[in-house]
Amino acid sequence: AFLDLDKQRLALMKNPVENEAKIRDIEAKMDERNHAIADCLKGGWPFLDPFPEDLPLPVVLPHLKHDPTFLTLDRDRLKLIDEDFISNAAAIKQKEEEMNNRSHVLAGILKKYLFLDTLPEGIPIDRVIPFLVQDSTFKNLDTERLAFHKDSNPTGVKKREVAMNDRSHFIAKAMGEYPFLDPFPEGFLLAHVMQYLKHDRDFM
């Protein structure tokens, strides 16, 4: 966002007198972006990369704040700081590195499937993704989505993204209801088997 604004500003600067008002407006937006990123950095995690996997940290941060793995690492880090931040310096540094690695993992997922809901059926999307990428329905939709991208067909892309998001909720719902069940019983996706289990009197 910042770089796009800067490109617009530089183009307008070719005629600064005529474009003075537009330049001021863009510069104000650039400063807003400056503050937005700074707010993220001062949010307690200044050690995180500002662009994990080339995604701006402000895009990834809302997902990290709901990620159980990241939050557990942060609780452990804060506990070490409270105990003795000098003696625990090495251990604190390790936790920070693990948290930064986690931001990259989550950013990688988001970068590929940025259109999916963060918490389908209340389950973090990074927990659902490993099952989605093995789901034939989801994979077929993704193949079609990429084909529509190549053909510059935004309507087709959007329809596939909506269907893929619906599929993420379908699979997440099965995971949330019965987290103790094998997610791939006999090689089948649990979400598929669940349709039959819910009509099975012995199971219900």
Side-chain angles (χ1 to χ4, degrees):
F2 184 86
L3 295 179
D4 290 337
L5 288 167
D6 197 29
K7 284 181 183 177
Q8 295 174 37
R9 184 182 68 88
L10 292 173
L12 292 169
M13 287 293 288
K14 292 176 182 177
N15 195 339
V17 176
E18 183 179 330
N19 296 323
E20 183 180 358
K22 291 180 180 179
I23 292 168
R24 279 204 306 267
D25 181 57
I26 287 176
E27 288 177 345
K29 289 178 181 177
M30 290 172 72
D31 195 42
E32 285 176 12
R33 190 65 178 165
N34 169 42
H35 281 275
I37 291 179
D39 281 342
C40 290
L41 293 175
K42 75 175 184 182
W45 304 311
F47 49 85
L48 295 179
D49 291 343
F51 289 93
E53 305 304 310
D54 296 325
L55 278 184
L57 184 57
V59 173
V60 184
L61 212 54
H63 301 269
L64 288 174
K65 288 178 178 177
H66 290 96
D67 178 56
T69 302
F70 183 85
L71 295 177
T72 297
L73 288 168
D74 195 34
R75 280 195 295 269
D76 292 345
R77 181 183 70 95
L78 292 173
K79 185 178 178 182
L80 290 167
I81 291 171
D82 288 339
E83 287 174 354
D84 189 337
F85 71 92
I86 296 176
S87 299
N88 294 331
I92 292 166
K93 179 68 175 175
Q94 182 180 342
K95 291 297 177 187
E96 291 176 349
E97 289 176 357
E98 290 176 16
M99 290 172 72
N100 196 46
N101 290 340
R102 184 63 182 168
S103 77
H104 279 268
V105 169
L106 206 55
I109 294 169
L110 293 171
K111 193 172 181 180
K112 189 171 183 182
Y113 300 114
L114 202 57
F115 53 88
L116 295 180
D117 290 342
T118 313
L119 292 167
E121 307 302 317
I123 298 178
I125 189 62
D126 67 300
R127 281 186 53 204
V128 184
I129 287 288
F131 304 106
L132 284 176
V133 295
Q134 297 184 63
D135 174 50
S136 58
T137 301
F138 186 86
K139 288 193 291 185
N140 289 339
L141 288 167
D142 199 22
T143 299
E144 293 172 5
R145 179 180 70 94
L146 295 173
F148 281 125
H149 262 301
K150 289 181 180 178
D151 293 340
S152 299
N153 184 337
T155 303
V157 170
K158 183 63 178 176
K159 285 182 178 179
R160 295 308 178 276
E161 288 178 349
V162 170
M164 290 168 74
N165 195 48
D166 290 343
R167 190 66 179 172
S168 77
H169 279 265
F170 174 74
I171 290 176
K173 188 173 183 180
M175 292 172 64
E177 286 181 320
Y178 305 103
F180 52 85
L181 294 180
D182 184 345
F184 285 99
E186 306 303 316
F188 287 93
L189 192 71
L190 175 59
H192 179 70
V193 180
M194 187 58 64
Q195 297 174 81
Y196 298 90
L197 286 174
K198 287 190 173 182
H199 292 91
D200 175 35
R201 293 186 181 276
D202 291 335
F203 178 80
M204 298 306 291

